Amino acid sequence: MDSAPLTGVTVLEVAQEVSGPYCAKLLADFGAEVVKVEPPGQGDPARNLGPFAQEDPHPEKSCPFHYLNASKKGITLNLRHPAGVDIFQQLARRAHVLVEDLGPGVMDSLGLGYETLEKVNPALVYTSITNFGLSGPYRDYKATHAIHAALAGWTFQTGEPDREPLTPGGWTSHYMTGTISAAGTVAALLCAQETGTGQRVDMNHLESLVPIMAFAMGDYIMKGINRGRRGNIFYSGSVLPAKDGWIGVNALMQEHFDLLCAFLDMPELVEDPRFANGYVRRQYAAELRDLVAEHVKGRTKDDLFHGGQAMRIPMGLVPNPPEVLALEQHHERGYLSEVEHPVTGKETQPGPPFRMYETPARPVSPAPLLGQHNQEVYCGWLGYTREELAVLRQSGVI
Amino acid sequence: MKLPLAGIRVLDLSQGWAGPTTTYLLGDLGAEIVKVESIQRVDWWRIMGQNPEDPKFWERRGAWNNVNRNKYDVTLDLTTPEGAALIRDMVRISDVFVENFSVRVMRRFGLTYPELTKLNPSIIALSMPAFGSTGPWQEYLGFGTNVEQTSGLSWQTSYEDGYPLGSGVGLADPIAGYNGVLAVLLAVYHRRRTGRGQFIDLSHIEASGRLIGEKLVDASINHKVRPQWGNDHPSQTPHGVYRCQGEDAWVVIAVGTQEEWEALCRVLGMPELASDPRFSDPLGRRKHREELDRCIEEWTSRRDKREVMEQMQKAGVPCGAVSSPKDLVEDPHIQARDFMVSLERKEVGTFKTFGVHVHLSKTPGTIRRPPPSLGEHNEFILGELLGVPSEEQQRMEAAQITGHQPLGLL
């Protein structure tokens, strides 16, 4: 077995909240040494995002921050101070990758734009993540996950038809953008590996989300159908109440539907012309959901999930976060890692999104405390003395 | 500079949405993708929900056309001796092997990773079974819907105090697809350094579970089930989806800072709200948020959603129109960035699809060919790449080992 694929790759992260940090986290999972650069004093605004460990809103206790920044080193550096810019350039000289998500033009205004750093380090892969890209009328629009999802056409597809559209939960737009940005970064590293030349990787949230509209956008493009949300009857799948919680009942293909009718003892549905094939079932999806609901409400979710899967029907559990932590498949596969954080103690984090058998991911280590690795990076890497470090700290550079 | 994956050939047995998303992205980055289907069992993503009365309906599904560009297509019945031999010849001349079946299928075809390495020792094999290649659920069946549900993602999409609705788009598939391209790139990076390939096991529920990581950390420490956000946001008020003028027309407004709040009051023409002590701080706004929402909707409901967005954004208020598929295709920002591109296919004519979304400045990705017709490249793959004589190709087509028309659909 070899070490993780990005072992020996140094990544500088000047990013906040979710998408940039998640991109760099993926690179860290697969072996890169990520140095997260935070502004002195307050650090990454994600430190203020709840929920917090023990419900205590303390900058070292944010659950999102712990998750998004695990396995990284953390330093503080004031990029609005000339000395900070100089130090950052020294770091950029020895880095292979920079990940930033400060917004269009911000790094340029700090004197750390691509054109500048390319001269400092021609092999540098410079990954920028923005909301809407570096051009176009929305370039400078303010945005959050809810706004990305709305403009990407996604919110229009989510929720009940007789209610307002529903913002998809969580920070999905940021995670998806972070994931595809990590892929773009590794693609540029491949080129740098061969040629010694870096480049700019320019990623944005809107374009990263549009491909998930493959379905609805495809229907519009090919058939002119401008369809919206269908509530709990997404295609031929639904989340329905079982005896003891929610169960996902899905029948995508004809064979699944036939098996489902047998499994739930609904022979009358097989003969019903409204459900004769996938095309007509789509027109009567709400009626079908109500009929199926009658057949699942008296059974337990585990019975429905495992019993249905044994018959090769794509049933789904619908766990909440504590229930996800208890899924037997996760435990059997060792997906969940226990991490000991120096301030808050034990916590569980999900493992890597995929397993590379020859080059396993690195074990998860806790997120850095604010400025935790200042001495290691500034003295160890750049040769500053501890006295100089004290001066830099006093003058607000680090 | 060459494209990052120039010279890499990907043998793609994947079907549906997840695997084909990985492979179109690898194609955009320069890899040569050989998609393998059979006329006995075409990629089911071609036909799902299509009207079987429509001519050539298996070529015309929008969702399929969106994720299969930059691919060659060969049909081959792997259950025949000829098909079994030819797929092995293709493994020998490929760099990457991608499939997304449950683990039973590759076992049946004798194409598990140990068997692949006997044919090609440095092959990179990406396996994308819904629940992973090991563990008690390894043979369970998964698609975008039930993986989204089981991973924990569906639970987080719900109206306040509602029930789980799910993302509405089958989210788990593109998530797995995006992770798949990262996995292959990492493996290629490793192989270029060491010459060694490897096996990659991508469980869709694990890839999707990463998108609720912060909730899992919270659950492990605080042992609580948190309330659903719906269209609200616990640290942003006002926040929500507001009705605009016209049928099913809405905007999202997400006010985070004091500055944005004051700007919102100015746009609404109600500067007095900003100085009203009930709303002067975030906690007060939260307490009286229903009243605020009524004021906002009173204003938005008399205006066009795009006008609302433009006016709000101009004033510095985070706001976005809720785009329908039509709005998305016609979106002026997307148009200005040339992100909707036109492709042309014999069976479909000219159609729009999204462009390359991984932007590399010196090696920009390209769309070199439109999505392929069923078996379109049989002659190229079997004849030119594998050296099957044309008489033998004709015999195989007559024996329905290859072909261009699906058999026994739906």
Side-chain angles (χ1 to χ4, degrees):
Chain A
M1 253 184 341
D2 293 343
S3 50
L6 298 180
T7 303
V9 172
T10 302
V11 178
L12 287 179
E13 176 196 310
V14 192
Q16 47 191 23
E17 300 202 330
V18 187
S19 47
Y22 187 64
C23 170
K25 175 188 169 78
L26 282 163
L27 303 176
D29 285 337
F30 292 101
E33 178 145 61
V34 177
V35 177
K36 182 179 179 75
V37 179
E38 296 183 81
Q42 294 177 318
D44 178 349
R47 291 180 179 275
N48 302 320
L49 291 175
F52 295 91
Q54 295 95 36
E55 313 295 341
D56 176 14
H58 180 282
E60 299 297 355
K61 296 187 179 181
S62 155
C63 294
F65 185 87
H66 281 199
Y67 173 57
L68 291 159
N69 298 290
S71 305
K72 299 177 188 175
K73 292 191 193 311
I75 63 172
T76 50
L77 188 60
N78 184 355
L79 299 178
R80 298 183 190 276
H81 192 294
V85 172
D86 176 61
I87 290 173
F88 190 84
Q89 294 200 2
Q90 294 177 50
L91 288 167
R93 199 164 287 135
R94 48 174 297 151
H96 303 90
V97 174
L98 166 66
V99 176
E100 67 91 8
D101 66 1
L102 301 186
V106 175
M107 288 294 273
D108 297 284
S109 72
L110 297 170
L112 297 170
Y114 176 64
E115 285 72 21
T116 307
L117 293 188
E118 188 192 17
K119 291 191 190 86
V120 170
N121 178 356
L124 185 69
V125 171
Y126 190 117
T127 301
S128 292
I129 302 173
T130 56
N131 288 316
F132 300 106
L134 301 178
S135 65
Y138 305 166
R139 188 189 102 124
D140 296 313
Y141 275 17
K142 290 184 170 183
T144 63
H145 161 72
I147 291 167
H148 301 140
L151 280 166
W154 184 7
T155 307
F156 196 74
Q157 303 301 322
T158 307
E160 293 285 7
D162 57 352
R163 295 186 66 176
E164 75 277 19
L166 175 61
T167 296
W171 290 315
T172 317
S173 81
H174 295 261
Y175 282 117
M176 295 203 64
T177 306
T179 306
I180 197 66
S181 300
T185 303
V186 178
L189 275 172
L190 273 173
C191 294
Q193 190 185 38
E194 295 229 311
T195 63
T197 305
Q199 57 183 316
R200 182 133 200 214
V201 182
D202 169 18
M203 306 296 296
N204 72 76
H205 288 81
L206 181 63
E207 291 175 8
S208 300
L209 284 197
V210 168
I212 74 167
M213 303 314 301
F215 236 77
M217 199 183 101
D219 275 354
Y220 175 69
I221 286 167
M222 293 296 179
K223 298 173 183 163
I225 302 168
N226 193 34
R227 75 163 167 84
R229 57 205 174 277
R230 290 182 295 200
N232 209 1
I233 50 162
F234 167 65
Y235 219 99
S236 27
S238 295
V239 174
L240 299 172
K243 192 176 174 184
D244 58 345
W246 302 106
I247 183 74
V249 185
N250 313 283
L252 284 87
M253 302 180 201
Q254 188 58 37
E255 63 199 56
H256 304 144
F257 182 73
D258 294 342
L259 290 165
L260 185 69
C261 290
F263 175 55
L264 296 178
D265 196 18
M266 318 182 287
E268 68 283 5
L269 299 195
V270 180
E271 305 301 323
D272 194 320
R274 290 176 300 170
F275 312 131
N277 64 40
Y279 179 69
V280 290
R281 277 201 298 283
R282 195 170 174 173
Q283 332 295 324
Y284 296 101
E287 289 86 344
L288 179 61
R289 173 198 57 192
D290 295 344
L291 290 166
V292 173
E294 285 301 307
H295 290 264
V296 300
K297 67 181 186 192
R299 300 173 67 166
T300 66
K301 53 191 183 184
D302 277 345
D303 165 42
L304 289 162
F305 177 66
H306 297 291
Q309 283 285 358
M311 286 182 68
R312 311 220 40 81
I313 303 162
M315 305 292 285
L317 293 171
V318 193
N320 60 35
E323 289 166 342
V324 171
L325 292 177
L327 291 180
E328 61 166 338
Q329 179 72 352
H330 285 337
H331 285 272
E332 291 293 326
R333 279 172 58 83
Y335 174 56
L336 302 168
S337 295
E338 195 156 272
V339 180
E340 180 80 30
H341 188 274
V343 174
T344 56
K346 279 191 183 20
E347 66 190 34
T348 302
Q349 296 218 2
F354 44 84
R355 321 278 175 104
M356 303 182 71
Y357 276 64
E358 187 69 23
T359 57
R362 68 152 62 153
V364 186
S365 59
L369 306 177
L370 188 61
Q372 184 181 341
H373 301 94
N374 278 354
Q375 193 177 314
E376 180 181 335
V377 171
Y378 292 129
C379 303
W381 292 16
L382 301 184
Y384 286 92
T385 64
R386 296 175 92 165
E387 292 71 31
E388 286 169 330
L389 222 57
V391 175
L392 289 172
R393 192 171 292 124
Q394 260 173 358
S395 50
V397 177
I398 66 169
Chain B
M1 267 162 82
K2 285 186 300 184
L3 287 179
L5 292 176
I8 296 286
R9 179 177 293 142
V10 179
L11 183 55
D12 180 14
L13 271 64
S14 71
Q15 301 198 340
W17 191 7
T21 291
T22 291
T23 52
Y24 92 72
L25 281 160
L26 295 173
D28 285 4
L29 293 168
E32 178 187 290
I33 315 296
V34 179
K35 183 178 178 78
V36 183
E37 302 179 72
S38 71
I39 55 171
Q40 288 75 15
R41 230 184 144 95
V42 301
D43 179 354
W44 60 273
W45 193 246
R46 285 180 179 271
I47 55 179
M48 192 173 95
Q50 288 290 85
N51 186 351
E53 307 294 316
D54 289 346
K56 291 237 177 186
F57 62 90
W58 63 89
E59 301 291 2
R60 299 177 52 87
R61 184 161 183 249
W64 187 86
N65 279 279
N66 275 332
V67 296
N68 283 289
R69 67 207 193 190
N70 281 338
K71 297 178 188 180
Y72 295 99
D73 195 274
V74 59
T75 50
L76 205 52
D77 180 357
L78 301 185
T79 65
T80 62
E82 295 93 331
L86 286 168
I87 193 77
R88 282 167 176 73
D89 288 345
M90 277 157 66
V91 170
R92 290 191 183 93
I93 58 167
S94 297
D95 302 283
V96 180
F97 179 89
V98 178
E99 57 84 15
N100 65 344
F101 297 100
S102 83
V103 292
R104 311 192 324 168
V105 178
M106 289 303 114
R107 283 180 199 152
R108 199 163 63 224
F109 289 130
L111 295 171
T112 61
Y113 177 67
E115 289 160 313
L116 296 174
T117 54
K118 285 181 200 144
L119 303 166
N120 181 344
S122 63
I123 193 109
I124 293 165
L126 172 63
S127 180
M128 306 172 73
F131 297 96
S133 298
T134 61
W137 301 359
Q138 59 181 272
E139 293 192 5
Y140 280 15
L141 203 55
F143 295 91
T145 42
N146 70 318
V147 170
E148 184 192 310
Q149 292 155 1
T150 310
S151 66
L153 269 180
S154 288
W155 180 83
Q156 69 176 0
T157 294
S158 162
Y159 292 104
E160 285 174 75
D161 306 319
Y163 46 90
L165 275 161
S167 71
V169 297
L171 184 61
D173 277 335
I175 292 169
Y178 280 13
N179 278 286
V181 69
L182 173 63
V184 170
L185 286 161
L186 287 166
V188 170
Y189 188 78
H190 170 255
R191 196 176 84 161
R192 285 195 183 156
R193 267 197 330 209
T194 63
R196 286 192 285 281
Q198 62 178 310
F199 177 64
I200 305 162
D201 177 17
L202 193 160
S203 150
H204 294 205
I205 55 165
E206 292 178 2
S208 282
R210 292 273 294 203
L211 276 67
I212 56 163
E214 78 285 352
K215 295 186 172 70
L216 299 181
V217 172
D218 171 41
S220 75
I221 300 173
N222 295 310
H223 311 288
K224 271 186 192 163
V225 179
R226 307 269 174 190
Q228 306 282 13
W229 291 5
N231 281 319
D232 184 27
H233 190 291
S235 58
Q236 296 182 359
T237 314
H239 189 285
V241 176
Y242 301 91
R243 185 182 295 279
C244 295
Q245 195 176 61
E247 194 192 336
D248 208 10
W250 310 83
V251 289
V252 169
I253 295 173
V255 169
T257 64
Q258 188 67 21
E259 218 180 355
E260 289 164 5
W261 159 244
E262 287 166 15
L264 174 72
C265 297
R266 282 194 300 277
V267 177
L268 296 179
M270 294 187 275
E272 68 279 8
L273 280 185
S275 49
D276 188 322
R278 286 175 302 165
F279 309 130
S280 59
D281 67 70
L283 293 177
R285 290 198 284 279
R286 207 135 184 84
K287 196 168 158 198
H288 301 284
R289 72 184 166 101
E290 279 167 21
E291 200 177 331
L292 283 177
D293 285 345
R294 269 196 304 277
C295 288
I296 294 169
E297 196 155 88
E298 214 279 310
W299 190 87
T300 58
S301 61
R302 290 181 283 116
R303 289 167 172 81
D304 174 76
K305 65 182 176 185
R306 292 198 55 86
E307 281 169 27
V308 171
M309 172 173 78
E310 283 159 22
Q311 212 175 329
M312 292 277 178
Q313 287 282 0
K314 205 172 155 195
V317 181
C319 176
V322 176
S323 292
S324 70
K326 180 174 188 288
D327 297 329
L328 179 65
V329 173
E330 295 169 0
D331 186 284
H333 178 82
I334 286 174
Q335 301 286 328
R337 288 177 57 82
D338 293 326
F339 185 56
M340 285 291 160
V341 297
S342 289
L343 300 180
E344 198 181 335
R345 294 185 54 196
K346 190 168 75 224
E347 297 85 352
V348 181
T350 303
F351 67 100
K352 284 202 162 67
T353 188
F354 49 81
V356 173
H357 47 105
V358 178
H359 301 283
L360 287 92
S361 60
K362 290 177 187 157
T363 57
T366 52
I367 302 181
R368 300 176 298 286
R369 54 183 67 253
S373 309
L374 188 65
E376 181 179 342
H377 304 98
N378 284 355
E379 206 180 317
F380 170 66
I381 302 295
L382 301 175
E384 286 188 40
L385 284 186
L386 300 178
V388 178
S390 57
E391 314 79 70
E392 174 63 6
Q393 287 183 51
Q394 282 160 20
R395 193 195 64 77
M396 283 168 52
E397 184 155 351
Q400 296 186 327
I401 297 166
T402 64
H404 305 273
Q405 299 275 333
L407 300 174
L409 280 175
L410 299 174

